[in-house]
Amino acid sequence: MGEESLSGSIRIKAMEFDDEMLDARKVQDSSGEKASTTRLYAVFYPESSSKQGLTFWRLTGLGVSSRRAEQCLGGLANIRQTTQFVDAEALQPHGWSLSHDVIRQRIVALLKRVPNEADRLLDLDTNDVYLYQTGMATIYHVHHTLLNWRGTQSIVFGFTYELTPKLLAAYGRSFRFYGLGTDDELADLETYLEEHCKDANKVQAVWCECPSNPLLRTPNLRRLRALANKYNFPVIVDDTIGSFANVDVMNIADIVVTSLTKSFSGCADVMGGSAVLNPSMPFYQQLKRLFEKGYQNELYVDDAVRLELNSRDVLSRAVHVNTTAQLLVDFFQGLKSGPRSSITAVYYPSLCWSVDNYRAQMRAATDDFTPGYGGLFTIEFESVEKASVFFNNAAVHKGPSLGASMTLLQPYVQTVFYQEKEWAARYGLKESIVRVSVGLEDPRKLLMIFRDAMLKTDGPVEGDTEEASHVSQALHSKL
């Protein structure tokens, strides 16, 4: 194999082989020529660097997908040594296929659907959509591009997906975190900007979500946009939880980042991500030049094929998930008001103090689609013990993903912030929360499943019949 040594004992090996699959898919490289060769690079590092290596792999979402790895196994007989290492800017991407093109067309169509400001026109085309192999790879590459542009401070506003601030802090120049995302914190941010960032380019970007994960809060994005215009920084909005179907952030964001792994795919069997540059925003031309210079398509063709197939019914799935999630949220909120309920809070955009901020970003309703509040909500119990009883007795799938066809429960703090519980609690994330990602099951079936789990959790108490319990009363109000 070709081999190149980096610092110390870290080495890179390069290999390439003929790829019949690329032939079969009629994949083209960046010059429009037929792609027929795959080149892979493997990084070898000493065991003493395992922590750093695993951290990089976890935070950045880079590397070879499962489908790509499976295909590579079939080419081992044809593997050969490369003659030389290729400069990063000269690397050939996986190549574009029809599936890549259709995915980009679909994203553009979804972003242009009924904007939240009726008179706003969006001059967006597929060349403004950049595809990546995972959602975190999207965030990493966008961040890396911005580092090459300004190389200054990143700010996260609101409690985002946990890996986002960790990535920005680990691989950036400077980092600030406003984890509550409240109006008071927005005032603190404005004070900070006024005192420290009057000079141009002091802030590389402000990152936020619409809404946040897992407490479903939405910051005042319009006020944040006004600060961006005043202090000369781009805003990056992750709309994964709200989804293309429900929310429109193109009046806010310079860049929209989305994990296509989640509701866009809807099947939890493929990974992908997208970054969309907004032609309506002031930094578009500068960012466009940077992306065009440094972008490589790393979404493997078979992953693109699966992602395109899965996303054909994204709007119809969103209708089902919106409706079911609201039904379940109403059920649990009804339980919360009961005298013996162990539920202390239900987090959902429609119940949050920031509901007006979310509604400001909702798309207008059409004859065939009424936007909703998404398929993710979080239940907070009075104790870890009560949360455990509910979690263990809910007859649905358990796991850390979201937006899948099946409903998923996750004990969020226990699995994500197990070693950072006190820190997470400062931002309202108690260790007794259970996050619910709603799937495509029959909503009445899900109601019965959660009724049974709550009967195990809360009662009935001595002297009550099961039919008279507050859990059954809440269920009957939904049926």
Side-chain angles (χ1 to χ4, degrees):
M1 307 300 169
E3 184 171 321
E4 185 169 288
S5 178
L6 297 178
S7 60
S9 56
I10 297 176
R11 293 174 293 117
I12 295 178
K13 289 189 176 182
M15 63 208 84
E16 65 181 20
F17 52 86
D18 295 332
D19 196 331
E20 295 179 1
M21 190 284 307
L22 294 177
D23 263 354
R25 294 282 191 270
K26 295 181 171 61
V27 177
Q28 295 180 340
D29 64 24
S30 56
S31 66
E33 297 296 320
K34 191 173 173 182
S36 59
T37 301
T38 288
R39 173 175 289 190
L40 296 177
Y41 295 87
V43 179
F44 294 83
Y45 50 81
E47 187 176 357
S48 58
S49 299
S50 293
K51 182 177 180 180
Q52 295 94 318
L54 288 173
T55 297
F56 181 84
W57 173 79
R58 179 171 182 257
L59 292 183
T60 64
L62 302 177
V64 177
S65 76
S66 299
R67 287 180 179 83
R68 171 77 279 188
E70 185 176 25
Q71 183 63 29
C72 288
L73 289 176
L76 289 180
N78 299 318
I79 199 168
R80 59 184 177 271
Q81 179 178 337
T82 58
T83 58
Q84 61 182 359
F85 277 72
V86 181
D87 195 39
E89 293 187 2
L91 281 174
Q92 292 298 315
H94 280 314
W96 291 106
S97 67
L98 177 61
S99 295
H100 289 92
D101 290 335
V102 173
I103 291 169
R104 296 197 299 168
Q105 292 166 9
R106 187 164 296 149
I107 290 171
V108 169
L110 288 167
L111 287 172
K112 285 186 170 182
R113 280 187 67 256
V114 288
N116 53 33
E117 297 168 345
D119 58 346
R120 177 164 52 88
L121 297 177
L122 184 60
D123 184 23
L124 181 72
D125 66 37
T126 56
N127 291 322
D128 296 316
V129 180
Y130 298 86
L131 301 177
Y132 299 92
Q133 64 266 55
T134 64
M136 285 310 301
T138 303
I139 291 171
Y140 173 77
H141 280 295
V142 170
H143 176 57
H144 185 73
T145 300
L146 295 175
L147 277 174
N148 289 335
W149 175 48
R150 284 193 172 176
T152 52
Q153 185 175 70
S154 296
I155 295 174
V156 169
F157 193 81
F159 201 98
T160 59
Y161 174 54
E162 58 112 4
L163 295 186
T164 300
K166 289 178 178 177
L167 183 152
L168 299 177
Y171 305 115
R173 303 281 195 278
S174 175
F175 174 74
R176 289 182 71 85
F177 183 62
Y178 295 85
L180 296 175
T182 60
D183 287 345
D184 286 344
E185 280 202 334
L186 201 51
D188 292 342
L189 173 60
E190 184 169 14
T191 299
Y192 171 77
L193 293 170
E194 182 65 23
E195 293 177 354
H196 301 282
C197 303
K198 280 188 174 181
D199 295 337
N201 305 338
K202 284 293 184 68
V203 175
Q204 180 171 288
V206 172
W207 297 70
C208 54
E209 292 182 348
C210 181
S212 68
N213 179 15
L215 298 185
L216 293 308
R217 297 165 173 166
T218 306
N220 188 332
L221 294 177
R222 301 195 180 207
R223 188 176 164 195
L224 189 59
R225 180 70 249 174
L227 291 179
N229 293 339
K230 181 178 179 180
Y231 294 100
N232 194 43
F233 59 79
V235 176
I236 303 171
V237 181
D238 187 332
D239 68 349
T240 299
I241 306 300
S243 80
F244 297 136
N246 292 316
V247 298
D248 171 23
V249 296
M250 295 299 282
N251 61 335
I252 305 296
D254 295 85
I255 306 175
V256 178
V257 295
T258 310
S259 174
L260 303 178
T261 308
K262 309 303 192 299
S263 63
F264 185 81
S265 166
C267 293
D269 63 351
V270 66
M271 301 175 77
S274 65
V276 179
L277 300 187
N278 189 343
S280 304
M281 291 301 170
F283 295 108
Y284 173 75
Q285 293 298 337
Q286 296 178 59
L287 295 174
K288 186 70 175 175
R289 286 193 293 270
L290 289 165
F291 273 76
E292 289 298 304
K293 180 181 179 181
Y295 175 71
Q296 299 289 337
N297 172 31
E298 295 179 358
L299 178 63
Y300 178 57
V301 59
D302 270 12
D303 293 319
V305 169
R306 174 50 55 189
L307 190 57
E308 190 279 315
L309 287 170
N310 289 355
S311 60
R312 292 179 181 182
D313 61 349
V314 62
L315 286 179
S316 61
R317 284 189 282 106
V319 171
H320 183 99
V321 167
N322 285 340
T323 303
T324 303
Q326 188 65 65
L327 181 72
L328 295 174
V329 165
D330 290 345
F331 167 67
F332 284 109
Q333 184 70 1
L335 288 182
K336 174 179 170 289
S337 60
R340 298 187 300 275
S341 177
S342 61
I343 295 175
T344 55
V346 181
Y347 297 98
Y348 193 57
S350 63
L351 301 176
C352 188
W353 53 263
S354 63
V355 60
D356 289 340
N357 297 335
Y358 181 91
R359 287 174 178 161
Q361 302 307 137
M362 290 179 78
R363 297 187 181 277
T366 61
D367 291 340
D368 60 344
F369 185 82
T370 299
Y373 297 94
L376 195 73
F377 66 92
T378 296
I379 311 164
E380 180 185 286
F381 290 87
E382 65 184 24
S383 67
V384 172
E385 291 72 24
K386 289 288 188 180
S388 297
V389 174
F390 170 77
F391 181 83
N392 291 332
N393 284 280
V396 296
H397 293 277
K398 315 303 195 318
S401 190
L402 58 95
S405 58
M406 72 290 289
T407 295
L408 294 168
L409 299 190
Q410 180 184 12
Y412 197 82
V413 171
Q414 302 291 346
T415 53
V416 174
F417 294 111
Y418 183 76
Q419 296 180 327
E420 303 164 282
K421 290 181 180 179
E422 290 186 8
W423 178 85
R426 289 164 47 190
Y427 300 99
L429 280 76
K430 297 184 179 180
E431 59 179 323
S432 58
I433 62 174
V434 177
R435 194 186 72 177
V436 183
S437 172
V438 176
L440 298 179
E441 301 95 336
D442 184 299
R444 292 171 63 92
K445 179 181 178 181
L446 286 175
L447 274 174
M448 295 303 295
I449 287 172
F450 288 132
R451 165 197 179 267
D452 292 344
M454 286 306 301
L455 282 171
K456 295 285 188 181
T457 306
D458 280 356
V461 299
E462 185 178 355
D464 274 352
T465 65
E466 180 178 308
E467 191 64 26
S469 74
H470 71 289
V471 176
S472 290
Q473 289 172 7
L475 174 67
H476 291 157
S477 72
K478 297 292 106 189
L479 298 178

